[in-house]
Amino acid sequence: MFKKILIANRGEIACRVAATCKRLGIGSVAVFSDADADAKHVALCDEAVHIGGSAAADSYLRLERIVEAARATGAQAIHPGYGFLSENEAFAQACTAHGIEFIGPPVAAIAAMGSKAAAKALMQRAAVPLVPGYHGDDQSADLLQREADAIGYPVLLKASAGGGGKGMRVVEQSADFAAALASCKREAASSFGNDRVLIEKYLLRPRHVEVQVFADKAGNTVYLFDRDCSVQRRHQKVLEEAPAPGLSDAVRRQMGEAAVAAARAVNYVGAGTVEFIMTPEGQFYFMEMNTRLQVEHPVTEMVTGLDLVEWQLRVAAGEALPLLQHQLSVTGHAIEARIYAENPARGFLPSTGTLRHLRLPAAVEFKVGEGGRAAVRIDSGVRCGDTITPFYDPMIAKLIVHGADRAAALARLSSALGEFEIVGPSTNVEFLQRIAGSVPFMAADLDTGLIERNHEALFAPATASTRDALALACAAQLAREEADNTDRSPWSTLHHWRLNAGYRQVLSWRTAGHEAAPGADQATLTEVVFERDGGRDTLELDGTRHEFSWRRGSGADEFSVTVDQTRVAGRVFIDGEHFHVFCRGKALGFERETPLAHAAEEHGTGRLTAPMPGRVIAVLVAPGTKVDKGTPLLVMEAMKMEHTIEAPAAGVVAEILFAVGDQVSDGAQLLIMEAEG
Ligand code: ADP
Ligand code: ADP
Ligand code: MG
């Protein structure tokens, strides 16, 4: 076994690999960029080497620099994680050339599977079933059009060198083919430097079912069963589970054996995933092979009780596979949810910013490799106070749950999702909760269109009662004022309305749209009236007066409120005038409306600030332009996604503070608007 390895990655996967190194007594070397100088993965490794600037191209993609770091620290092997250089032949080659073991498959296997078209040709020869389609060398537009017509619409165009869903285009009819081809080629060329395409029959309501394979250098190859990753947005996985629900033993074995055949066809070594697309009738076809550890590998670890990183290390060190096929089995069911800093209501636009408050669900500590099947496992690469930057994948954490069966796992998933408390970037937690609670997901009625088809329910504005959360926010505000009164200014009581002998105070709350619920982009204003009359406190909510009392809990941000006879406890995290309330498994955000902010909103001078750091790519208005609420003003781009800034209210554009091409930082004011007239 190795004495020391270098981990050529960052974030949760670097932390994940470091955990296994620690358990096995293997030294670990981290590499880091400028942005990651204080990152969690650096802290978890024994040594760390700075490899350059924040952009991936200046650090995590610099293969010579990383190989040099391994040589300088005496690391015997390099674990590439996923993404970055994990499927880069030149990197694997460079490792080998310097006598460093690449913890992954041989260069030839990476090369063979790196082109989806070439891989399909190989699979055809190995008798692995393929989706009807065209993956030939002739790339002339005429021929591709004829092939698409022959396959029959709809068809799917893919970049042969592609990944991450980039370049994929669904073509509904022959007349649209030429334009889609041109656009697929453009994106393929710019993302992968290679514009080769392939065509597949676009399957309707398919499932994504993949098989984990493992091979050692002696040629033993096994499958560690399947995962269903059908719940996707923009062709990217959101929820994954093992085993794939509803497969018969016969289909499970056939898929496993097909995956092993695929691996054998390229003399595979190490961990790999063979992705299949499956029709509603259960027919499955090879899609591609990912020649690395997958983001969703933990669900396989949970149901097999194995540590796949340990297997990778053993195999790379020349050991035989720890177990053979007949020794492998599945226990229970596991589900993974990817917690992202993103905004589902805005087309899953990545969100950035500092994690000002971060509480993860209580995890029964996952003991990798000790057969431990924790009920709840969290894999995360960030800590409270860390920043989600625009440079890398905006994943905050992976939540992985295990249960005796799918229903038990699902129950744990829902309750653990409810335990997340994240303040800072927007997140998809509430959205994941909605999927977990949706009828098709609960019934395991899975296919890749699940999110799209249930759009209405998944993106609907929050209907949950906000009463408890509002009462908690009021309690936190009253507590803050009380603290102000005693600690600082006695005059702050002036903003209470003194009425006869009692207080009357109006607390105005704006629901912080996207934070409150994925679909609730429209902010609404709620007024809550607090009254103290003869020692009796009441709160007027929804036009009804309730008995009300509140008190602080034991923790700093904890409060409990009693509304009429019902007591509710929760946590309120205050950030300026933003109140983030966490109670009963729900997160709700409110912005306290001060009279000043209210006036600005009414007169169309609402905040027109950048929602994330990025670049201005279009300015759609000029000074003097009269706009209505919702008029698009300016388009920004960040992390390859576009975001349109709209007028928050009617008004006139007074000044535009940035021009096309300018970089803007998060929260920077973009333009100045004035009230009309
Ligand atoms: P998985 O099935 O493991 O999620 P993906 O293909 O979605 O596989 O990608 C795995 C990780 O690699 C993701 O976190 C993603 O950010 C990263 N990734 C995918 N494609 C690319 C790419 N072209 N360049 C850099 N990173 C990528
Ligand atoms: P990537 O390299 O981006 O992961 P894949 O070829 O694995 O590309 O496809 C990504 C996703 O696109 C799949 O998980 C599936 O949801 C969808 N997809 C791929 N091929 C087809 C197809 N022929 N018909 C329908 N959906 C498909
Ligand atoms: Mg794929």
Side-chain angles (χ1 to χ4, degrees):
M1 183 47 85
F2 307 114
K3 290 204 159 38
K4 189 196 275 192
I5 71 161
L6 181 142
I7 304 167
N9 216 297
R10 64 176 304 285
E12 68 86 16
I13 192 62
C15 297
R16 165 70 191 87
V17 174
T20 290
C21 288
K22 182 144 284 171
R23 188 174 61 80
L24 299 179
I26 298 169
S28 56
V29 182
V31 291
F32 64 96
S33 67
D34 289 345
D36 280 339
D38 298 316
K40 183 176 170 187
H41 77 275
V42 174
L44 289 183
C45 289
D46 303 323
E47 292 170 68
V49 181
H50 176 242
I51 52 167
S54 300
D58 299 330
S59 47
Y60 299 105
L61 294 174
R62 287 179 68 187
L63 52 98
E64 311 83 16
R65 183 74 191 87
I66 292 172
V67 172
E68 191 187 302
R71 282 163 56 82
T73 52
Q76 299 156 287
I78 296 184
H79 194 300
Y82 55 70
F84 298 126
L85 297 170
S86 61
E87 294 177 281
N88 186 307
E89 293 162 57
F91 182 55
Q93 191 105 59
C95 292
T96 312
H98 287 90
I100 294 163
E101 186 70 27
F102 175 74
I103 302 171
V107 177
I110 300 177
M113 291 298 185
S115 155
K116 288 191 207 284
K120 288 183 78 172
L122 255 169
M123 291 306 111
Q124 204 155 23
R125 290 201 285 283
V128 177
L130 298 182
V131 196
Y134 172 79
H135 51 265
D137 291 334
D138 189 339
Q139 295 280 299
S140 74
D142 280 354
L143 176 101
L144 292 171
Q145 171 92 54
R146 279 199 307 279
E147 290 289 348
D149 292 349
I151 294 162
Y153 295 89
V155 299
L156 182 63
L157 273 165
K158 288 185 187 176
S160 179
K166 286 204 192 82
M168 295 201 347
R169 298 284 182 280
V170 180
V171 191
E172 299 288 351
Q173 52 183 11
S174 185
D176 303 339
F177 186 82
L181 175 64
S183 126
C184 172
K185 279 185 173 288
R186 240 189 342 264
E187 193 167 319
S190 79
S191 304
F192 313 110
N194 176 342
D195 72 352
R196 180 169 177 158
V197 303
L198 60 89
I199 312 170
E200 282 177 8
K201 175 98 193 140
Y202 186 62
L203 301 180
L204 299 174
R205 299 191 71 149
R207 286 171 67 182
H208 173 119
V209 180
E210 59 185 33
V211 176
Q212 176 73 55
V213 293
F214 239 103
D216 63 23
K217 291 178 179 175
N220 299 304
T221 309
V222 299
Y223 60 91
L224 295 160
F225 311 100
D226 36 84
R227 299 185 282 254
D228 187 299
C229 314
S230 298
V231 183
Q232 303 182 349
R233 50 142 178 76
R234 290 191 279 107
H235 302 296
Q236 296 275 2
K237 300 158 187 168
V238 179
L239 285 155
E240 302 104 337
E241 56 187 288
L247 298 195
S248 66
D249 289 349
V251 169
R252 172 155 289 128
R253 197 176 53 248
Q254 279 169 31
M255 290 186 89
E257 285 168 2
V260 166
R264 286 220 168 98
V266 294
N267 299 315
Y268 202 77
V269 176
T273 297
V274 181
E275 295 187 336
F276 294 100
I277 190 127
M278 184 181 258
T279 67
E281 294 74 40
Q283 182 64 48
F284 61 88
Y285 304 105
F286 173 86
M287 236 181 343
E288 66 164 343
M289 180 168 187
N290 291 326
T291 54
R292 55 172 162 81
L293 196 66
Q294 207 89 345
V295 174
E296 57 275 21
H297 77 277
V299 290
T300 297
E301 296 189 317
M302 296 285 253
V303 295
T304 58
L306 302 170
D307 177 347
L308 298 194
V309 174
E310 175 180 350
W311 277 43
Q312 286 188 297
L313 296 171
R314 292 198 180 286
V315 163
E319 294 180 27
L321 286 181
L323 297 172
L324 293 174
Q325 195 66 55
H326 70 274
Q327 297 169 300
L328 293 163
S329 63
V330 166
T331 303
H333 198 93
I335 309 177
E336 173 180 279
R338 300 189 188 190
I339 316 296
Y340 280 111
E342 66 179 15
N343 194 332
R346 294 188 185 155
F348 301 99
L349 183 83
S351 177
T352 55
T354 299
L355 295 160
R356 310 172 72 87
H357 172 70
L358 178 69
R359 268 175 79 101
L360 302 172
V364 179
E365 204 189 334
F366 173 67
K367 299 240 176 7
V368 281
E370 288 168 8
R373 289 189 181 87
V376 178
R377 164 176 167 187
I378 304 286
D379 281 17
S380 173
V382 293
R383 300 153 301 192
C384 189
D386 286 352
T387 299
I388 305 292
T389 73
F391 299 111
Y392 319 110
D393 193 285
M395 191 168 12
I396 296 171
K398 303 191 298 201
L399 164 68
I400 312 104
V401 295
H402 184 262
D405 55 22
R406 190 172 189 272
L410 192 49
R412 278 184 176 140
L413 178 73
S414 293
S415 78
L417 281 170
E419 286 181 53
F420 275 90
E421 294 182 10
I422 304 172
V423 175
S426 310
T427 77
N428 64 343
V429 174
E430 160 93 26
F431 180 72
L432 290 167
Q433 252 167 336
R434 287 185 184 202
I435 299 179
S438 71
V439 172
F441 191 75
M442 293 195 5
D445 179 11
L446 305 170
D447 73 87
T448 61
L450 188 145
I451 290 179
E452 207 102 290
R453 210 171 29 255
N454 294 281
H455 197 276
E456 224 163 287
L458 296 177
F459 293 86
T463 50
S465 161
T466 54
R467 208 185 73 168
D468 296 339
L470 270 175
L472 282 162
C474 291
Q477 174 59 21
L478 294 170
R480 178 161 79 162
E481 288 175 10
E482 208 176 74
D484 280 354
N485 285 343
T486 46
D487 302 350
R488 287 177 245 155
S489 157
W491 305 112
S492 58
T493 44
L494 287 179
H495 59 241
H496 291 254
W497 289 43
R498 235 165 221 287
L499 248 186
N500 305 325
Y503 285 134
R504 182 171 191 274
Q505 184 181 358
V506 179
L507 295 146
S508 301
W509 302 101
R510 196 166 285 278
T511 49
H514 62 276
E515 276 161 12
D521 227 9
Q522 214 75 303
T524 54
L525 194 70
T526 308
E527 292 200 334
V528 181
V529 183
F530 170 72
E531 275 194 41
R532 167 162 295 174
D533 197 1
R536 180 171 160 269
D537 289 353
T538 58
L539 208 59
E540 194 183 302
L541 279 160
D542 326 319
T544 321
R545 187 159 295 282
H546 305 274
E547 298 278 336
F548 173 70
S549 68
W550 63 272
R551 64 178 194 214
R552 286 183 177 281
S554 50
D557 309 316
E558 284 169 21
F559 295 91
S560 75
V561 291
T562 306
V563 178
D564 294 331
Q565 261 66 56
T566 313
R567 185 189 293 178
V568 176
R571 225 182 310 278
V572 184
F573 184 87
I574 305 177
D575 183 13
E577 293 307 325
H578 290 270
F579 286 57
H580 303 267
V581 183
F582 303 95
C583 74
R584 294 187 202 264
K586 291 262 176 211
L588 281 160
F590 304 103
E591 184 177 355
R592 201 170 72 92
E593 192 77 356
T594 58
L596 221 64
H598 195 55
E601 182 75 22
E602 273 186 350
H603 297 110
T605 48
R607 292 174 307 155
L608 287 164
T609 52
M612 73 264 172
R615 201 166 55 91
V616 175
I617 58 169
V619 175
L620 309 170
V621 290
T625 308
K626 246 180 76 178
V627 298
D628 292 324
K629 183 172 160 65
T631 303
L633 303 173
L634 181 145
V635 184
M636 285 184 61
E637 182 200 63
M639 293 184 263
K640 304 253 177 282
M641 291 195 56
E642 289 185 5
H643 179 64
T644 304
I645 313 293
E646 296 173 349
V652 177
V653 176
E655 207 178 321
I656 297 162
L657 304 170
F658 290 93
V660 170
D662 287 351
Q663 285 289 341
V664 297
S665 54
D666 195 8
Q669 186 166 10
L670 298 169
L671 15 76
I672 299 173
M673 281 189 51
E674 281 172 356
E676 215 183 309

